[in-house]
Amino acid sequence: MQTAEVRWIGEQKFVAISPSGHAVAMDSDRSTNAGPGPMELLLMALGACTATDIVIILEKKRQKLESLEVICSGERAAEPPQVWSKLEILYRLRGKLEESSVKRAIELSEEKYCSVSATLKKSAELTWRYEILLTQD
């Protein structure tokens, strides 16, 4: 079992300690905005999780990835608990890449490997698209 700890540091501000010992400051009050809120961290976790999969899968397919941006956008339900109800992921990739390999890597991440998207898909409709940018030679 993994354990995270969240410490209140005043107002609506917290420091979360991950199971691996890393600290992240959070602020649930969007008016003070001293750090990301918990729901923002879910969007960021989604991007990091699927980006990791894409990098690993394309490397295994011997694709020459030069850069990757993953932009996660979402809409939340109007009523509490205001879960993510609609999510879109935009992948921007640059490199000497076969489009079929990129598409398959994204499909594998979304359907099989990304535990964050698997969790979020229980409440949200998740769509994705990608852009393969020209290499900068």
Side-chain angles (χ1 to χ4, degrees), residues 1-5 7 16-24:
M1 177 179 291
Q2 296 186 19
T3 303
E5 182 179 329
R7 297 178 187 156
I17 317 294
S18 71
S20 58
H22 299 279
V24 176

Side-chain angles (χ1 to χ4, degrees), residues 49-79:
C49 183
T50 190
T52 300
D53 294 339
I54 300 306
V55 167
I56 291 169
I57 293 166
L58 290 178
E59 185 177 273
K60 286 182 179 177
K61 291 179 172 283
R62 292 182 166 73
Q63 297 294 295
K64 303 293 183 203
L65 182 65
E66 293 174 9
S67 68
L68 171 64
E69 292 176 68
V70 180
I71 297 125
C72 300
S73 304
E75 294 177 15
R76 292 176 63 184
E79 298 298 319

Side-chain angles (χ1 to χ4, degrees), residues 64-68 93-97 134-137:
K64 303 293 183 203
L65 182 65
E66 293 174 9
S67 68
L68 171 64
L93 307 97
R94 185 182 307 275
K96 295 186 180 159
L97 304 166
L134 298 174
T135 60
Q136 296 178 332
D137 289 330

Side-chain angles (χ1 to χ4, degrees), residues 3-4 9 38 46 64-65 73 76 82 89 107 112 119:
T3 303
I9 56 173
L46 173 61
K64 303 293 183 203
L65 182 65
S73 304
R76 292 176 63 184
Q82 294 183 289
I89 304 173
E107 289 169 347
K112 185 173 183 179
T119 302

Side-chain angles (χ1 to χ4, degrees), residues 21-122:
H22 299 279
V24 176
M26 295 185 288
D27 186 357
S28 295
D29 183 350
R30 299 301 1 122
S31 65
T32 57
N33 201 27
M39 293 300 282
E40 290 178 304
L41 287 171
L42 280 175
L43 273 184
M44 294 161 60
L46 173 61
C49 183
T50 190
T52 300
D53 294 339
I54 300 306
V55 167
I56 291 169
I57 293 166
L58 290 178
E59 185 177 273
K60 286 182 179 177
K61 291 179 172 283
R62 292 182 166 73
Q63 297 294 295
K64 303 293 183 203
L65 182 65
E66 293 174 9
S67 68
L68 171 64
E69 292 176 68
V70 180
I71 297 125
C72 300
S73 304
E75 294 177 15
R76 292 176 63 184
E79 298 298 319
Q82 294 183 289
V83 297
W84 290 112
S85 57
K86 187 175 181 183
L87 296 164
E88 180 184 78
I89 304 173
L90 169 60
Y91 298 89
R92 280 198 186 123
L93 307 97
R94 185 182 307 275
K96 295 186 180 159
L97 304 166
E98 295 172 4
E99 186 169 0
S100 61
S101 294
V102 168
K103 187 175 180 188
R104 185 64 183 143
I106 294 168
E107 289 169 347
L108 283 168
S109 176
E110 200 259 325
E111 295 168 6
K112 185 173 183 179
Y113 293 115
C114 181
S115 53
V116 177
S117 71
T119 302
L120 291 172
K121 283 194 295 188
K122 293 177 190 255

